[in-house]
Amino acid sequence: MASIQLDGVTKRFGPVVAVRGLSLQVREGELLTLLGPSGCGKTTTLRLLAGFLTPEEGRIFFGELDVTRLAPEHRNVGIVFQNYALFPHMTVAQNVAFGLEVRGLPGREIRSRVREILERVQLRGLEQRYPHQLSGGQQQRVALARALVINPEVLLLDEPLANLDAKLREEMRFYIRHLQQEFRITTIYVTHDQAEAMALADRIALLRDGVLQQVARPEEIYRRPQSKWVADFVGVCNFIPGRVLGQEDGFLVVQTPVGLLRCSGTAGPGRVLVCVRPESLRPQAEGPNRIAGVVRSRTFLGNLLDVRVFCPGEVVLRVQCPLTWDAQPGESLHLAFRAQDAWVVSEEG
Amino acid sequence: MARAAEMARLRVRRPPRSAPPAVLLLLPSGLFLAAFFLVPYGNMVRMSFLAKAEGAAFANGVTLENYLRILQDAFYWRVIGRTFWLAGLSTVLTLLLGYPVAYAIARAPGPRRPLLLMLLLAPLLVGAVVRSYGWMILLGRVGLINQTLRILGVGEVELMYNTFGVVIGLVHVYLPFMVLALASALEQIPAEVELAARSLGAAPWRTFWRVTWPLSLPGVFSGSMLVFVLALSAYVIPILLGGNNVLVMPILIVQMLLDAFNWPVGSAMAMVLFGLACVVLLVYVKTANRVLRWIGR
Amino acid sequence: MSTTVRRLGFLGVTVAIYGFLLAPIVIVVVAAFNAGEYLRFPPEGISLRWFAKFFASEPFVRSFWFSLKLAWLCTVVSTVLGGTAAFYVVRHAGRLRDVLRLLLVAPLQLPAILTGIALLLFFYSVGLGTRGMGGLLIGHTVVSVPYVFLIVSTVLLRFDRSLEEAARSLGASAWATFWRVTLPLIRGGVISGALFAFITSFDQFPISLLLVSVGNTTLPIQLFDYLRFSFDPTAAAASTVSVVMSVMVVWLIHRLVGLEQVTWGGPR
């Protein structure tokens, strides 16, 4: 089991810079998610880690070993591809055994290891089937088994659940997490689905246009985003523009079109954005941050109500709250939030 | 720990070796084709400018004699004309016959298509000589068709050793090529386009003429170019089915090379024939592009 | 005109044209079994005498074996040349890709008779002459390589590279990956290409016409020479043998690899 370290890694494709100066550390046994919109460089990063690409600048370490220029077959990585990449001309057992055969292990040992791992992923009895005879979920587990049986230093997963339907995706999510923890493998998991990232990861690394935006635990990223982009990408967020006036009782005082607000965070004087999540806004008359407004629209989301409130200064706030609230369009009301639920970021980015 | 030891065992241990350059993959075919394709063609061009020698195939000394000899002789022009005429006629006929077949294949439902394609391509497996022989049996004076006609009391018809026989043979041999080119273009036209035209009130013939035909033109152009060049260079069919009565350039060229042993003139004749063909094709392509642009492709 | 009539008309035309395509070949095979010298209606009876005459004819039999040997050699050489070229062009060529494709397919674009002429002149110019099988083999290979190249290229283009990446990530070297993953999966395409090369060589005419030498004729040339001067159905027997040859090759491929594999895509 090795830790992973990327030091100032840059990868170019002609004039396009896919990954720029990426520095990242993954601890032993940790599951780190690479999250970002398409084209942000997460797949490129994964392929750099796998050895299918060589960076122009920077270095990559697995533990103490500098693998930057090491060929893929010498890195001892386990990879699960988005389309599983199961060998169509081999059975399940042969697929899983492949990595072991290449390492020259004796036949008997190969057979027992294959049997054991297939048992672990609950595919016993399907050894002689061919990939095209399996369901999506089963193929997924074969891909996992094949990658894990070789006891890799590092496990890389490239959007492994993208081709499954929603229900199966949720099941498999927990399953993969469970396996990863059981094997205690340092894992990097690429996805564009933020719900997935938050559910699975020990830490999330957000990428945008090849540049690392923030690396932190999911809760940290959600509650304390470091930039507007991060706040906007992960979950839904309201942004209220304003100007920091000063500090009071450990909170910032910000002058905004909807009034004087008290929030958390550190920011220099100047223009900022106050970030408030929809679920932090409550309809109540009392509180340190009170905003007056008129209900614009109301949408029934099943377990929640999504209400848009039109406030002074052309600020539209989105509120999500339980169904007990009875807001009707056109109704005037007050919204309030706690200072610790709001966070300040600078206006650009 | 046991784990570390186990992992060490499973690590792939092989001394990294730099891979041989990929260019090695190209060398065999590259060298082979350079030596036995490019050089011979270059040599043939060179040969057309050499002079004929006594008792040998060629001698040194650059000359335009060969070309002049060909271009100034009306006899050669007649033969060239006949060659182009036969090629053009065959092209048009293969287009007419090939279109329905191509349409049938393009619109055939899934399981039927491979069968249709196999039947189309089966004759190609067999070779031009065999196919020409088949026509000889059918078209000859004692051939099947004439027998039938004699039985019906019509008398015999000269179907072979003349232009008719040659054209039949050419069309027969090159039909599959035209069909393949047309079918691939027709496949690109979604069937819904024709249905849309019909739903708007166009009768089948009009639909064909205003919708299907223009959209299939790229296939028509590529197919006819292919068949034209093939028909132009045909040797077996004119000789077997035309006898000594249909003289086309390829026959003349081979005669000049193998019988008269005059290689410079033979090469020059080949260059003239295919040089003219290139000119014709160039004009054709330019016209084709203009037409395609005009219909919006 | 009602739809049914039109559809029947179209069907009729299509069937007629297919008949036109296949008639001569069927006729030849029928003539080979015909008892009489000329094909007549009603047929005179079935006989194998023409086959007997064919197998007794030394020139025919010799040319048959010669064609077979030549086609076999040509197939092997073309497959290696065309296959390696396909790998290079599809995976490594970069900017040269289009130029290389053009060069490798060029022998198909130019008339075979022209290529035959060029080779004849060339062989004599460099003093090699056309004795022995060498010149013929080279000539046949020149026109067969493009087929192998095209077919293997197509298969390679459709090949899922992530399979090779998976193999390498599991520890297989580049060679092991090729041998255990790539090759088995493109096998169908390679065999298709080889099949095309075989048929191209076995039925080849223009190139053979110019490059055969005394004592070394191919079956098509032998047949042609025969047909210049006689008309008897021995030629039909020879032709039938040729047809059977082609059919057998296809059948053999079907048994070995399965015809579903012998498409332009390989197994999938």
Side-chain angles (χ1 to χ4, degrees):
Chain A
M1 219 43 57
S3 63
I4 303 177
Q5 182 156 334
L6 291 128
D7 270 339
V9 171
T10 299
K11 178 68 191 164
R12 287 189 203 92
F13 295 107
V16 176
V17 184
V19 173
R20 198 190 298 266
L22 182 63
S23 293
L24 188 57
Q25 254 198 333
V26 187
R27 293 184 276 272
E28 266 189 51
E30 180 180 19
L31 193 158
L32 178 101
T33 315
L34 282 179
L35 176 64
S38 18
C40 70
K42 51 192 197 293
T43 303
T44 307
T45 306
L46 202 77
R47 293 174 71 83
L48 284 165
L49 288 167
F52 301 131
L53 295 172
T54 316
E56 271 81 31
E57 291 164 34
R59 299 208 287 171
I60 304 176
F61 292 89
F62 288 173
E64 299 290 319
L65 185 63
D66 182 342
V67 300
T68 318
R69 305 208 179 280
L70 203 56
E73 56 264 30
H74 298 133
R75 293 196 189 196
N76 220 34
V77 283
I79 308 183
V80 177
F81 294 81
Q82 188 174 339
N83 66 348
Y84 317 134
L86 296 180
F87 305 130
H89 59 306
M90 298 187 194
T91 61
V92 166
Q94 288 168 331
N95 261 282
V96 175
F98 186 84
L100 301 174
E101 284 172 15
V102 159
R103 282 161 174 73
L105 292 185
R108 202 161 9 113
E109 190 177 341
I110 295 184
R111 278 193 292 278
S112 89
R113 280 183 189 272
V114 168
R115 205 180 11 232
E116 191 191 317
I117 194 85
L118 287 179
E119 182 94 42
R120 291 280 272 275
V121 298
Q122 289 145 10
L123 285 176
R124 252 271 298 264
L126 296 176
E127 288 91 343
Q128 296 313 314
R129 297 263 183 98
Y130 283 89
H132 69 269
Q133 295 170 310
L134 302 175
S135 72
Q138 289 169 330
Q139 289 182 9
Q140 234 265 9
R141 280 178 281 155
V142 174
L144 268 172
R146 185 177 68 177
L148 289 172
V149 80
I150 58 170
N151 254 315
E153 314 260 349
V154 161
L155 183 63
L156 303 174
L157 299 134
D158 188 0
E159 310 218 38
L161 305 180
N163 293 334
L164 302 176
D165 61 74
K167 210 121 224 260
L168 197 51
R169 211 181 305 162
E170 255 196 63
E171 274 175 42
M172 291 300 295
R173 211 187 274 170
F174 294 115
Y175 186 72
I176 290 182
R177 176 61 159 158
H178 171 73
L179 265 185
Q180 185 264 337
Q181 286 178 320
E182 209 183 299
F183 278 79
R184 271 190 298 232
I185 282 198
T186 315
T187 304
I188 296 211
Y189 187 108
V190 165
T191 181
H192 63 273
D193 181 342
Q194 22 149 334
E196 193 164 276
M198 299 228 274
L200 280 177
D202 289 316
R203 281 191 304 157
I204 300 180
L206 273 160
L207 282 173
R208 179 193 185 196
D209 291 331
V211 179
L212 188 63
Q213 304 291 308
Q214 187 172 356
V215 185
R217 283 172 29 250
E219 218 181 293
E220 178 97 8
I221 291 208
Y222 187 77
R223 292 163 57 76
R224 297 287 178 259
Q226 274 172 12
S227 70
K228 175 180 187 230
W229 184 86
V230 173
D232 207 16
F233 187 80
V234 182
V236 182
C237 198
N238 291 302
F239 297 103
I240 308 173
R243 194 173 215 93
V244 174
L245 293 183
Q247 271 218 349
E248 197 182 273
D249 297 332
F251 291 116
L252 289 178
V253 179
V254 184
Q255 171 76 49
T256 75
V258 303
L260 222 52
L261 299 177
R262 281 172 181 65
C263 343
S264 314
T266 50
R271 301 176 65 74
V272 294
L273 290 169
V274 176
C275 307
V276 188
R277 299 278 181 194
E279 63 272 14
S280 305
L281 289 165
R282 302 270 145 73
Q284 58 200 50
E286 307 303 322
N289 296 310
R290 258 178 67 226
I291 304 171
V294 177
V295 175
R296 244 302 151 70
S297 70
R298 149 202 189 161
T299 315
F300 176 67
L301 288 182
N303 54 341
L304 288 175
L305 216 49
D306 187 296
V307 179
R308 280 169 212 256
V309 177
F310 198 66
C311 305
E314 310 245 318
V315 173
V316 181
L317 293 177
R318 216 169 136 184
V319 186
Q320 281 181 355
C321 60
L323 299 165
T324 50
W325 186 25
D326 191 21
Q328 293 301 328
E331 199 179 300
S332 294
L333 47 49
H334 282 130
L335 297 170
F337 60 90
R338 303 181 309 170
Q340 51 265 60
D341 287 335
W343 181 252
V344 160
V345 298
S346 74
E347 203 172 56
E348 324 83 36
Chain B
M1 277 181 301
R3 185 86 201 252
E6 155 125 341
M7 291 197 48
R9 254 193 84 215
L10 284 173
R11 191 179 320 243
V12 176
R13 236 185 302 264
R14 233 176 325 219
R17 200 179 33 214
S18 61
V23 141
L24 279 185
L25 283 175
L26 184 66
L27 279 185
S29 48
L31 289 178
F32 181 82
L33 284 179
F36 297 115
F37 183 69
L38 292 178
V39 171
Y41 267 95
N43 182 54
M44 186 170 70
V45 175
R46 176 188 81 116
M47 182 75 66
S48 66
F49 290 106
L50 297 179
K52 159 82 176 159
E54 293 304 321
F58 60 93
N60 287 317
V62 176
T63 168
L64 286 178
E65 215 11 78
N66 309 313
Y67 284 96
L68 290 175
R69 178 170 152 182
I70 298 166
L71 297 171
Q72 289 173 340
D73 191 340
F75 168 70
Y76 286 113
W77 281 109
R78 269 202 303 277
V79 176
I80 292 176
R82 186 179 306 128
T83 315
F84 273 79
W85 162 244
L86 284 177
L89 185 58
S90 309
T91 305
V92 171
L93 287 176
T94 44
L95 181 60
L96 284 175
L97 288 182
Y99 208 99
V101 177
Y103 193 83
I105 291 180
R107 296 276 177 259
R112 208 184 300 168
R113 185 180 306 183
L115 176 66
L116 287 179
L117 275 175
M118 263 203 321
L119 287 177
L120 178 79
L121 298 176
L124 289 179
L125 281 183
V126 157
V129 182
V130 172
R131 293 158 85 179
S132 303
Y133 179 51
W135 283 113
M136 288 166 82
I137 299 180
L138 272 172
L139 299 173
R141 194 166 298 158
V142 292
L144 272 183
I145 295 187
N146 272 323
Q147 282 179 40
T148 321
L149 291 178
R150 222 175 291 132
I151 292 176
L152 294 177
V154 176
E156 10 179 276
V157 182
E158 284 272 3
L159 295 170
M160 211 171 85
Y161 296 132
N162 57 15
T163 310
F164 179 78
V166 174
V167 172
I168 292 262
L170 288 175
V171 170
H172 179 254
V173 170
Y174 299 125
L175 190 57
F177 296 98
M178 175 68 83
V179 170
L180 284 178
L182 287 175
S184 81
L186 284 170
E187 266 170 33
Q188 314 257 9
I189 307 175
E192 293 85 40
V193 171
E194 292 168 354
L195 292 178
R198 301 287 301 281
S199 76
L200 289 168
W205 187 245
R206 199 193 207 109
T207 306
F208 172 76
W209 198 239
R210 298 288 306 273
V211 178
T212 315
W213 168 253
L215 288 176
S216 68
L217 278 179
V220 171
F221 288 135
S222 70
S224 47
M225 270 176 49
L226 180 63
V227 170
F228 183 77
V229 172
L230 287 172
L232 199 69
S233 50
Y235 176 84
V236 182
I237 295 148
I239 270 215
L240 284 180
L241 292 173
N244 293 317
N245 302 333
V246 182
L247 192 59
V248 291
M249 278 301 266
I251 298 181
L252 210 55
I253 296 175
V254 172
Q255 261 178 27
M256 187 63 73
L257 289 172
L258 296 182
D259 297 339
F261 216 48
N262 187 339
W263 289 7
V265 173
S267 317
M269 285 166 66
M271 303 289 301
V272 167
L273 179 65
F274 291 104
L276 284 173
C278 280
V279 169
V280 167
L281 285 178
L282 220 73
V283 171
Y284 187 67
V285 166
K286 285 233 148 47
T287 320
N289 282 336
R290 197 166 306 151
V291 171
L292 286 177
R293 244 193 313 260
W294 182 68
I295 65 167
R297 286 298 216 91
Chain C
M1 209 184 341
S2 83
T3 318
T4 331
V5 172
R6 192 164 22 85
R7 203 162 288 167
L8 277 180
F10 180 74
L11 188 68
V13 165
T14 312
V15 168
I17 299 177
Y18 265 103
F20 168 75
L21 264 181
L22 298 170
I25 303 166
V26 172
I27 297 278
V28 168
V29 176
V30 169
F33 289 98
N34 185 39
E37 187 132 342
Y38 299 110
L39 208 45
R40 234 182 270 282
F41 256 136
E44 291 177 40
I46 301 189
S47 156
L48 289 178
R49 65 190 261 224
W50 305 115
F51 285 96
K53 199 164 169 214
F54 169 74
F55 286 112
S57 155
E58 211 230 319
F60 264 128
V61 171
R62 192 146 38 98
S63 66
F64 174 73
W65 288 116
F66 184 75
S67 276
L68 211 55
K69 196 163 68 160
L70 182 61
W72 167 244
L73 283 174
C74 174
T75 303
V76 170
V77 176
S78 310
T79 306
V80 170
L81 293 183
T84 50
F87 258 95
Y88 183 78
V89 170
V90 171
R91 300 218 171 158
H92 300 284
R95 260 165 306 173
L96 285 180
R97 185 175 311 180
D98 290 326
V99 171
L100 285 175
R101 279 192 93 93
L102 212 63
L103 170 65
L104 283 157
V105 173
L108 287 184
Q109 316 277 56
L110 296 169
I113 196 155
L114 204 58
T115 308
I117 293 172
L119 278 172
L120 176 69
L121 270 42
F122 174 71
F123 285 139
Y124 270 100
S125 299
V126 298
L128 286 177
T130 55
R131 266 171 300 120
M133 207 194 252
L136 263 181
L137 180 60
I138 291 177
H140 282 207
T141 307
V142 168
V143 293
S144 299
V145 165
Y147 286 114
V148 178
F149 170 75
L150 281 176
I151 296 181
V152 176
S153 295
T154 308
V155 172
L156 279 178
L157 280 172
R158 291 172 49 163
F159 189 79
D160 181 1
R161 301 292 304 265
S162 67
L163 293 174
E164 291 176 347
E165 289 174 353
R168 300 216 32 218
S169 75
L170 290 167
S173 68
W175 176 252
T177 304
F178 172 76
W179 193 248
R180 299 190 55 176
V181 177
T182 315
L183 195 56
L185 290 171
I186 63 169
R187 205 175 45 153
V190 174
I191 295 189
S192 297
L195 164 65
F196 259 85
F198 183 87
I199 299 281
T200 304
S201 167
F202 193 76
D203 289 332
Q204 176 59 229
F205 187 82
I207 305 250
S208 303
L209 177 72
L210 291 153
L211 294 179
V212 288
S213 54
V214 178
N216 270 333
T217 41
T218 63
L219 186 58
I221 301 286
Q222 184 65 37
L223 186 58
F224 172 74
D225 284 340
Y226 196 79
L227 284 174
R228 298 292 297 276
F229 309 111
S230 1
F231 200 57
D232 82 39
T234 318
S239 306
T240 308
V241 168
S242 192
V243 170
V244 167
M245 191 69 231
S246 307
V247 170
M248 257 178 46
V249 170
V250 176
W251 180 82
L252 207 77
I253 300 307
H254 179 61
R255 289 308 303 271
L256 285 177
V257 170
L259 264 178
E260 331 79 53
Q261 305 236 23
V262 182
T263 59
W264 291 63
R268 205 129 282 243

